[in-house]
């Protein structure tokens, strides 16, 4: 993620820079998705502790907010990954390219 942010700080990245941004964005997206999956797995195994209030409800709420924010960040990373690898390729308009 740090490498992605360093490349994004450039005023006008070169074509090589755009590819690096796309690569780092894709890597960040994958790490976020794996981390969200791991958090979900841990949450599933902590259901009893949540039910008996060993783990406060506020913690679960905070984790839910964190997961939502990380999902948004993964979405932004996905969009950034497309900008570097698809330069010059027309993007589908609304309603196009859907199954």
């Amino acid at each position: 993620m740090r490498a992605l942010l360093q490349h994004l700080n450039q005023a006008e990245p070169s074509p090589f820079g755009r590819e690096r941004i796309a690569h780092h964005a894709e890597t960040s997206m994958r790490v976020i998705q794996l981390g969200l999956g791991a958090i979900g797995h841990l949450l599933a195994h902590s259901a009893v502790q949540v039910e008996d209030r060993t783990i406060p409800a506020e913690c679960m709420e905070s984790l839910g907010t964190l997961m939502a924010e990380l999902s948004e960040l993964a979405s932004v990373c996905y969009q950034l990954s497309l900008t570097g690898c698809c330069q010059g390729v027309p993007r589908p308009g609304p309603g196009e390219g859907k199954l």
Side-chain angles (χ1 to χ4, degrees):
M1 181 60 78
R2 183 175 298 141
L4 171 61
L5 294 175
Q6 288 173 346
H7 284 287
L8 287 176
N9 283 333
Q10 298 175 359
E12 180 61 38
S14 67
F16 176 74
R18 280 190 219 107
E19 288 211 17
R20 298 297 299 162
I21 288 170
H23 172 74
H24 290 304
E26 186 174 345
T27 301
S28 296
M29 180 185 66
R30 287 182 183 164
V31 169
I32 291 168
Q33 289 173 337
L34 290 172
L36 286 172
I39 291 171
H41 187 75
L42 291 172
L43 287 175
H45 285 283
S46 64
V48 172
Q49 289 82 5
V50 173
E51 191 174 315
D52 70 8
R53 299 176 193 240
T54 304
I55 297 175
E58 292 81 20
C59 288
M60 300 308 290
E61 181 181 357
S62 296
L63 276 174
T65 303
L66 174 66
M67 292 174 76
E69 292 298 321
L70 286 173
S71 295
E72 287 290 324
L73 181 58
S75 176
V76 170
C77 288
Y78 174 72
Q79 292 297 319
L80 286 172
S81 73
L82 293 179
T83 60
C85 65
C86 302
Q87 290 294 322
V89 176
R91 296 237 168 88
E96 295 177 4
K98 294 182 181 178
L99 299 176

